[in-house]
Amino acid sequence: MATADPSRGFMKDVKRIIIKVGTAVVSRQDGRLALGRVGALCEQVKELNSLGYEVIMVTSGAVGVGRQRLRYRKLVNSSFADLQKPQVELDGKACASVGQSGLMALYDMLFTQLDVSSSQLLVTDSDFENSKFRERLSETVESLLDLKVVPIFNENDAISTRKAPYEDSSGIFWDNDSLAGLLALELKADLLILLSDVDGLYSGPPSEPSSKIIHTYIKEKHHYEITFGDKSRVGRGGMTAKVKAAVLASNSGTPVVITSGFENQSILKVLQGAKIGTLFHKNASLWEPSKDVSAREMAVAARDCSRRLQNLSSEERKKILLDVADALEANEDLIRSENEADVAAAQDAGYEKPLVARLTIKSGKIASLAKSIRTLANMEDPINQILKKTEVADDLVLEKTSCPLGVLLIVFESRPDALVQIASLAIRSGNGLLLKGGKEAIRSNTILHKVITGAIPCNVGEKLIGLVTTRDEIADLLKLDDVIDLVIPRGSNKLVSQIKASTKIPVLGHADGICHVYIDKSADMDMAKRIVMDAKIDYPAACNAMETLLVHKDLLRTPDLDDILVALKTEGVDIYGGPIAHKALGFPKASSFHHEYSSMACTIEFVDDVQSAIDHIHCYGSAHTDCIITTDGKVAETFLQQVDSAAVFHNASTRFSDGARFGLGAEVGISTGRIHARGPVGVEGLLTTRWILRGRGQVVNGDKDVVYTHKSLPLQ
C-alpha cells in the first residue's frame, strides 16, 4: 500500500469518483488503441467496484479512433491517382461517429471479461441547457450506480452544435475535461481524477529539466508561475484544459487530482492518499503554505546563514564550536533524560536490540562528543586555504582555494550522537545543514538541536542548522537540487537506495557495513584473538563491526582457532558457517555471505590463501573496512594493495574505521563510493574548491598580448 500523505487524508471519505481518461491514455503514438493501458485501467475500475466505490467514467478518444479507421478505409478505397492528389483532412464529426462505436465496443469487451457491466451515455453541450435533461440524467446515473453499472460518458461530437467541437471553447462545457468537471458537480462526486500522459502538473513543460512537479496547486502561488508546453499530441486541450477544468471543479467543492494514466495502479494509489499527481482543493491555500514552500524556505535559510558563517574569522568560528561543546556538557542531564524516554518508547514498541543500542546515549558519551568537538575546533581552519598557486602570466596569479559545499541534507536513523557530530562538522566547514533523524529518536534529536542552535550567535542565525520533523518534508527537500548541494544518508540499505532513487542531488554514503577480518596462516593467534573479539563485541551495532571472519584453511581445528571461537560463543556471539565451516565445524549455515548482522552474530568461513580471501571480500563485501592479521609482510602488502575497500587494515581492529579515531575530529558518515570522499568523511569531505584570479587589467584579446608562464608559486 502507498504511504498516505497528510494533505490527502480526505480520501478515506471518498465514495463517488469520476475518472476522466485522456486521448493520450487510450491511444498509442500511432493513433491505434492502447489495449494494454485501457485493460489495466478497466482492472482498476473493477477493483474499485468490488471495494464499494461508485465509479463514473468520462472517456476521450473517439475522434482519434475514428480518424484511424477512416484513414485506413480511405486508403483501401483510393486509387493510386487519388493518393497523388492533396489529401483533405477528415471531417471531425464523421471521425467521432465511427470512433464512438469502436471505443465503446472495446470498453464493453474488457469490462465483460472482468464481470463488470458498463453503459454508454453520449451528451452534447446543448443538452445541459435543459433542466429536465439534467434531472433525468442524474436519475439515470443513480439507477446505474445502484446496479453496480459503470456509466461511461463521452461528448457526442458527431452531432454537436459547435462548428468544430475539438477547437471551439465556448459553451457550458467545451471538451471532455470540462465535461468531467461539470459532471462532478451535477452528480455530486467526491473526487475527480483526470488521467493524463504525464505525472501531473509541472511548473513548466515536463521535458525541461528545470520543471518540477506541483503536488498541491495553490492558485495564489502557481497561477502566474506555470509555463504550459504544447497541447496534447492527440487530444483537444492538453494540460491547459485539465487545469482549467480542475480549478473550476475544485472551487465548487469537488477535489481533483491530475495524474498519469500510464503509471501502474495510479487510481488506487490516489485513493490510498499517496502523494502522486497534482491535487486541486478549495482549501489548499489554507493548509498548504505548502511543505514545498517550507522545505525551500528552510534550505534557503540554511544557505544564507552558512554565508554569514563563512564571513566570520577563523577564531569566531572556533568559538562557536567551543560554545557548543560547553552547552552539551551543561545540558547533559536534560539530554540523557530525553534520550531515556526515547529508549523506553522504542523498547515498548518492540524495536530490535541493535536499533535500541544505536539509539542509546551511554554514560560518558556526551563528554566524549564534547571532547571531539573541541579537537575539531582546535584543528587548522579548513576554509579559504590556498591549495595551489600558479603564475598564469606576468602579474596574473591564480589560486585554488578550499570552500564549503553549501547546504547539506543528512538523513540518519537511530543514532542521536550522529546529529552532534554532523552539526559540529558543518559549523567547522562553513556549511548550512538540514537534519532528519528517525522518529524513534525524536525527543533526543529535538533537545540536541535546541542545545546546539542555542550556542550559535545571532550574527550567523540558528537557522544554520534546520531539523526536519516529518518524512513528507524529505520528499520535498530531495527536489531542491538548486539549493541543497549534497545528501548524506546514514542508515539501512533500503534508506540509502530510496534516497538515491529519489533525487538529482549528489548522494554520499554507504548502504552496508559488511566488514571482514582475515586470519592468515602466519598470524600471531593471541593478537588475532584480541582483534577479532574487539571487532565483533566492542560495539556490534556499528557499521565498522566485523560481520565475517575468514580463516586460512590450515588453521582449521587448531587449538588457537578453537580458543577464539569459544571466546566468541562465551561472550554470546551467534556463529554461522559458510559451506566449508558448516560442514567441518557444524555451525548453522549462513543464509548469505552478503549480510550485515549489526548484532552479536557473525559468519565464519575458511579460504585457501590470501588471494581467496581477497576474492571473497570483493564478491561479498561492501567496500567498507576489511582487515588482515598476519606476520608475513609480503602477504600483508598483497592484501593492503588489492582489497578495494574504503579502509584496509593490517593487524588492527576494524573498529578503528572512525572519523574521531582517524583524527578527523568527527565524521559525517562513511562513504564507500569512489568519488569525492571515501572512508570516514570529516571536514575535508564537506569542502569543494574555487578558483581566484588576481590580475592588473589583463585581457585575452585572442591571446595576442599574453605570455603564459604557468609557473607554480609557493603557497605562502
Side-chain angles (χ1 to χ4, degrees), residues 237-256:
M239 188 56 71
T240 308
K242 287 177 177 58
V243 170
K244 187 175 180 180
V247 169
L248 289 173
S250 61
N251 286 346
S252 300
T254 301
V256 182

Side-chain angles (χ1 to χ4, degrees), residues 575-590:
I575 302 176
Y576 297 89
I580 299 172
H582 165 68
K583 185 176 181 180
L585 301 178
F587 289 123
K589 195 169 185 179

Side-chain angles (χ1 to χ4, degrees), residues 512-516 547-548 593-596 620-622 625-626:
D512 295 305
I514 303 172
C515 302
H516 297 76
E547 303 292 7
T548 299
F593 280 128
H594 190 84
H595 182 71
E596 183 177 11
Y620 301 109
S622 61
T625 302
D626 299 292

Side-chain angles (χ1 to χ4, degrees), residues 392-429:
V392 177
D394 189 33
D395 286 331
L396 191 62
V397 177
L398 180 66
E399 295 173 350
K400 183 181 183 181
T401 64
S402 60
C403 67
L405 284 169
V407 177
L408 315 173
L409 171 59
I410 316 296
V411 185
F412 57 101
E413 295 176 338
S414 306
R415 294 176 53 182
D417 60 304
L419 185 151
V420 180
Q421 294 185 48
I422 295 163
S424 59
L425 283 167
I427 294 170
R428 194 68 178 110
S429 59

Side-chain angles (χ1 to χ4, degrees), residues 95-160:
C95 292
S97 180
V98 172
Q100 280 164 0
S101 60
L103 183 62
M104 196 58 212
L106 174 63
Y107 278 118
D108 186 61
M109 179 194 70
L110 292 171
F111 277 130
T112 299
Q113 293 294 317
L114 296 168
D115 195 25
V116 174
S117 297
S118 61
S119 64
Q120 182 180 27
L121 294 98
L122 295 173
V123 296
T124 64
D125 176 79
S126 58
D127 291 335
F128 285 87
E129 295 174 359
N130 186 329
S131 59
K132 289 292 184 183
F133 168 83
R134 294 160 74 167
E135 185 179 326
R136 295 289 178 269
L137 178 67
S138 294
E139 291 174 355
T140 300
V141 171
E142 291 292 344
S143 297
L144 292 170
L145 293 176
D146 285 343
L147 295 168
K148 291 282 188 179
V149 176
V150 178
I152 303 177
F153 282 85
N154 194 350
E155 179 181 6
N156 194 352
D157 291 335
I159 59 171
S160 172

Side-chain angles (χ1 to χ4, degrees), residues 98-270:
V98 172
Q100 280 164 0
S101 60
L103 183 62
M104 196 58 212
L106 174 63
Y107 278 118
D108 186 61
M109 179 194 70
L110 292 171
F111 277 130
T112 299
Q113 293 294 317
L114 296 168
D115 195 25
V116 174
S117 297
S118 61
S119 64
Q120 182 180 27
L121 294 98
L122 295 173
V123 296
T124 64
D125 176 79
S126 58
D127 291 335
F128 285 87
E129 295 174 359
N130 186 329
S131 59
K132 289 292 184 183
F133 168 83
R134 294 160 74 167
E135 185 179 326
R136 295 289 178 269
L137 178 67
S138 294
E139 291 174 355
T140 300
V141 171
E142 291 292 344
S143 297
L144 292 170
L145 293 176
D146 285 343
L147 295 168
K148 291 282 188 179
V149 176
V150 178
I152 303 177
F153 282 85
N154 194 350
E155 179 181 6
N156 194 352
D157 291 335
I159 59 171
S160 172
T161 56
R162 280 193 225 109
K163 293 179 181 179
Y166 37 90
E167 295 174 1
D168 187 359
S169 59
S170 62
I172 296 176
F173 69 87
W174 49 92
D175 59 11
N176 280 314
D177 290 314
S178 56
L179 170 60
L182 176 62
L183 290 172
L185 306 183
E186 290 286 332
L187 303 176
K188 298 180 174 57
D190 300 313
L191 178 67
L192 168 60
I193 299 176
L194 301 176
L195 296 180
S196 178
D197 56 350
V198 292
D199 294 332
L201 175 62
Y202 282 76
S203 57
S207 58
E208 293 185 2
S210 60
S211 296
K212 300 182 185 302
I213 193 167
I214 297 168
H215 284 296
T216 302
Y217 178 87
I218 302 170
K219 184 178 180 181
E220 295 80 0
K221 177 190 173 191
H222 297 119
H223 181 68
Y224 298 105
E225 292 183 359
I226 298 170
T227 303
F228 290 101
D230 296 333
K231 67 180 283 295
S232 169
R233 61 178 169 83
V234 285
R236 205 180 292 178
M239 188 56 71
T240 308
K242 287 177 177 58
V243 170
K244 187 175 180 180
V247 169
L248 289 173
S250 61
N251 286 346
S252 300
T254 301
V256 182
V257 175
I258 299 176
T259 191
S260 173
F262 288 55
E263 183 180 344
N264 186 37
Q265 303 285 293
S266 59
I267 299 172
L268 295 171
K269 289 176 183 176
V270 166

